[in-house]
Amino acid sequence: LDWILYIKSDENKALKEIYTLYRDESVSWLKKQYKLDLEPAKEIFQVSVIILYDNVITGKLVELSSSIKSYLFAICKNKAAEYLRKQGKITCLDNIPMLIDHVIETREHKEEIEIKLDLVNKGMLSLGDPCRSILQLFYYKSMNMESITVLMGYKNVNTTKNLKYKCFVRLQKYINEHKG
Amino acid sequence: LEHEKNILLLESYIRNQADNLTVKQVKSRLENDEAFASLYQELLGIHQGIRLSVLDDKLKILKQYDKRLPASSLKKIESHNTSVRSMGIKKWIGLAASILLLAMAGLWFTNQESTSNGATIFASVIEPLEQDVVSTIRSGNGKETDILLTPEEILIAENKKKAYRLYNAEAFDKALPYFEDLTKLDSDNIHLFYKSFCHLMVGDIDEARQGLYHDYGSEIDSNDLAYARAMLALRESNFDKVRSLLEPLPDNYKRKTLEAIKTL
């Protein structure tokens, strides 16, 4: 099974399959190796599946040189080590900080960037659909306007372009209104 | 309109879709036009933020999905270690039981009260593992950049997985070749310890002795090691040695021994 292709073509189904296949084993392993409680172990596993997904979509992972399981466990390993280093700073029931750490590629002005990213994330939540989906498809999936038009069922590309710009401005407005 | 144009221009630049001339123009404006440069930084931040929002969405999907999965298997994990540990030792205890009864009968601890907690005789000695990348933890350098395992690490992980699974299934003879390979592939001496137990289980006393009397330093818990050596001495019917090895050990080792004997 080509997991990378599977994730790209049917992401939710693929992620659920990976999750079902490896949840118990990974959680058990994390608990034992890092002396973690069940909940943090599970959250580390969940974040690791998401990072695997992100690595596929962003093109960081184009080919697996080992099994998907080994790759996933390696991410779990790093995330668990990171979690232990920061224990006390992270709230166990909120694994967004672990995702933010993954998204931020620089260590400079990290706290400032964290706040901004969190704000954008909240702004995206407040936008709702279709804005949220259009911006995600364009900025994250790097889809072009034609593809988004077809996917979202709009009349023509201009409609999509206009809508996308309006959504962007709404997001920008939210960020400017809510930044400290 | 200017704002929209600037956004489109910067987006094509960020997405590497701009032609060479446009790239030059954008670079020049980024150096000289403060508002344009500020918009660029803002766009980059929004890019990252949107990425985070997608990942956050996916995380929520997984969390929802998790609620639909049977929780029973995860609950089992909570009590997993104890139950698995108890599997591998019954056979051993069976083999040693008669000798053990004789050896223990006159010893000093037979009158001690049993404080059963469900633990088994080897609970602190043998800890079967069911994961496949243990070695990367033990020898890991902690670098976040090392996402993928090396081929050697994968080989070790695969061997380890097979060895422990066979061990847990009490197929000690089949587990032995994997432990053998592990002792060659990985410097972690825990493999030698497990291998020696397997030898003991299959009655290969000389090999077991050689392994159990290896200088482990602090790699193996000293009580566990002493206990394992005591079990070897039992197989050799060397009761004085059994006594001398068990005497300094904490009471729980002795109690566990008695409990195990009583269950047989």
Side-chain angles (χ1 to χ4, degrees):
Chain A
L1 177 63
D2 185 340
W3 281 103
I4 295 175
L5 190 66
Y6 190 16
I7 290 169
K8 281 180 177 172
S9 58
D10 197 347
E11 55 188 43
N12 286 347
K13 197 176 168 196
L15 289 184
K16 283 175 185 174
E17 207 164 311
I18 290 168
Y19 193 87
T20 312
L21 276 172
Y22 303 118
R23 182 191 70 169
D24 292 359
E25 198 175 346
S26 304
V27 170
S28 172
W29 175 67
L30 285 164
K31 276 188 80 231
K32 188 149 189 154
Q33 286 305 308
Y34 294 95
K35 314 276 182 239
L36 292 171
D37 290 334
L38 183 64
E39 273 311 304
K42 201 162 89 173
E43 291 190 356
I44 286 168
F45 171 66
Q46 287 168 345
V47 168
S48 299
V49 174
I50 297 301
I51 290 172
L52 164 68
Y53 162 77
D54 187 49
N55 287 349
V56 171
I57 301 298
T58 56
K60 194 173 169 186
L61 175 63
V62 288
E63 194 182 354
L64 281 167
S65 58
S66 58
S67 68
I68 187 96
K69 184 177 157 186
S70 295
Y71 189 84
L72 182 61
F73 269 58
I75 299 174
C76 285
K77 175 188 102 172
N78 289 330
K79 287 291 129 188
E82 193 180 289
Y83 171 81
L84 290 177
R85 275 201 303 276
K86 293 181 178 179
Q87 217 170 20
K89 282 185 183 176
I90 312 177
T91 314
C92 288
L93 296 174
D94 180 8
N95 37 27
I96 289 294
M98 278 197 272
L99 282 180
I100 291 182
D101 274 347
H102 168 70
V103 170
I104 298 174
E105 281 156 5
T106 173
R107 293 192 182 276
E108 290 172 19
H109 312 294
K110 206 176 169 195
E111 280 186 20
E112 196 184 321
I113 299 169
E114 274 181 20
I115 294 166
K116 277 184 187 171
L117 292 195
D118 194 42
L119 191 57
V120 177
N121 189 29
K122 282 174 182 156
M124 288 290 282
L125 280 170
S126 79
L127 283 183
D129 271 328
C131 276
R132 184 177 170 76
S133 297
I134 290 172
L135 294 179
Q136 286 184 346
L137 291 171
F138 183 78
Y139 288 105
Y140 182 68
K141 297 281 180 70
S142 299
M143 282 174 78
N144 58 34
M145 285 295 143
E146 288 76 12
S147 303
I148 296 173
T149 304
V150 174
L151 194 69
M152 301 292 284
Y154 296 131
K155 279 181 187 174
N156 53 51
V157 174
N158 280 338
T159 310
T160 316
K161 278 182 183 170
N162 289 335
L163 196 53
K164 188 215 109 194
Y165 178 67
K166 281 179 188 169
C167 294
F168 180 86
V169 172
R170 274 181 62 195
L171 178 62
Q172 212 178 17
K173 193 179 168 201
Y174 177 94
I175 294 165
N176 289 328
E177 281 174 0
H178 290 82
K179 67 182 173 191
Chain B
L1 197 64
E2 187 65 23
H3 180 251
E4 189 174 358
K5 270 187 183 173
N6 284 340
I7 287 171
L8 290 173
L9 191 61
L10 284 169
E11 277 169 357
S12 68
Y13 175 72
I14 291 169
R15 289 160 74 112
N16 292 321
Q17 289 169 343
D19 56 44
N20 289 342
L21 185 64
T22 312
V23 169
K24 271 186 183 178
Q25 285 171 348
V26 170
K27 282 184 176 171
S28 167
R29 281 189 69 188
L30 286 175
E31 283 175 14
N32 304 310
D33 185 342
E34 206 174 308
F36 189 73
S38 170
L39 181 63
Y40 172 68
Q41 288 303 325
E42 197 181 348
L43 256 177
L44 287 180
I46 286 174
H47 262 256
Q48 281 188 316
I50 289 174
R51 181 176 164 204
L52 179 67
S53 84
V54 174
L55 303 185
D56 191 19
D57 283 354
K58 293 290 170 202
L59 193 60
K60 281 172 187 157
I61 290 171
L62 282 188
K63 280 177 181 288
Q64 278 301 113
Y65 178 67
D66 183 74
K67 286 177 188 167
R68 284 163 46 203
L69 286 178
S72 54
S73 52
L74 276 181
K75 279 180 188 164
K76 273 183 199 166
I77 289 171
E78 288 285 65
S79 56
H80 177 73
N81 295 339
T82 311
S83 62
V84 175
R85 279 173 195 159
S86 64
M87 283 172 53
I89 65 157
K90 272 197 172 176
K91 187 184 261 182
W92 198 145
I93 294 168
L95 290 169
S98 54
I99 305 168
L100 202 57
L101 279 167
L102 284 170
M104 301 299 162
L107 294 182
W108 65 101
F109 54 86
T110 47
N111 58 350
Q112 289 188 17
E113 280 185 28
S114 170
T115 52
S116 175
N117 57 5
T120 63
I121 194 167
F122 277 166
S124 57
V125 181
I126 299 177
E127 295 189 356
L129 304 168
E130 288 200 333
Q131 67 282 358
D132 68 350
V133 285
V134 183
S135 57
T136 63
I137 296 301
R138 293 183 187 280
S139 58
N141 56 14
K143 284 182 185 172
E144 289 177 61
T145 47
D146 295 336
I147 295 285
L148 283 171
L149 307 184
T150 65
E152 194 184 30
E153 283 177 323
I154 291 166
L155 186 62
I156 290 170
E158 292 297 329
N159 267 287
K160 201 169 224 177
K161 180 177 154 189
K162 286 170 189 162
Y164 284 125
R165 279 197 179 157
L166 288 165
Y167 184 92
N168 290 344
E170 299 185 62
F172 305 111
D173 53 335
K174 288 177 184 164
L176 258 172
Y178 293 106
F179 281 119
E180 190 75 55
D181 285 349
L182 282 167
T183 55
K184 290 171 190 163
L185 289 165
D186 193 11
S187 58
D188 192 338
N189 271 324
I190 192 106
H191 308 312
L192 181 61
F193 188 65
Y194 279 92
K195 191 182 86 167
S196 306
F197 261 109
C198 284
H199 278 304
L200 198 56
M201 296 299 210
V202 299
D204 196 347
I205 304 300
D206 288 341
E207 287 285 343
R209 191 186 306 112
Q210 203 180 332
L212 291 176
Y213 278 89
H214 174 82
D215 181 9
Y216 287 101
S218 58
E219 287 179 281
I220 306 290
D221 180 272
S222 59
N223 286 340
D224 287 348
L225 188 59
Y227 194 82
R229 286 171 179 171
M231 295 300 106
L232 172 68
L234 269 177
R235 291 296 300 269
E236 295 172 323
S237 303
N238 187 346
F239 303 125
D240 286 342
K241 192 157 192 176
V242 174
R243 184 174 174 161
S244 68
L245 282 163
L246 285 176
E247 199 164 21
L249 294 185
D251 284 351
N252 62 321
Y253 283 84
K254 297 162 193 167
R255 279 198 293 271
K256 280 175 191 168
T257 309
L258 284 175
E259 283 162 21
I261 293 166
K262 282 174 190 170
T263 62
L264 290 171

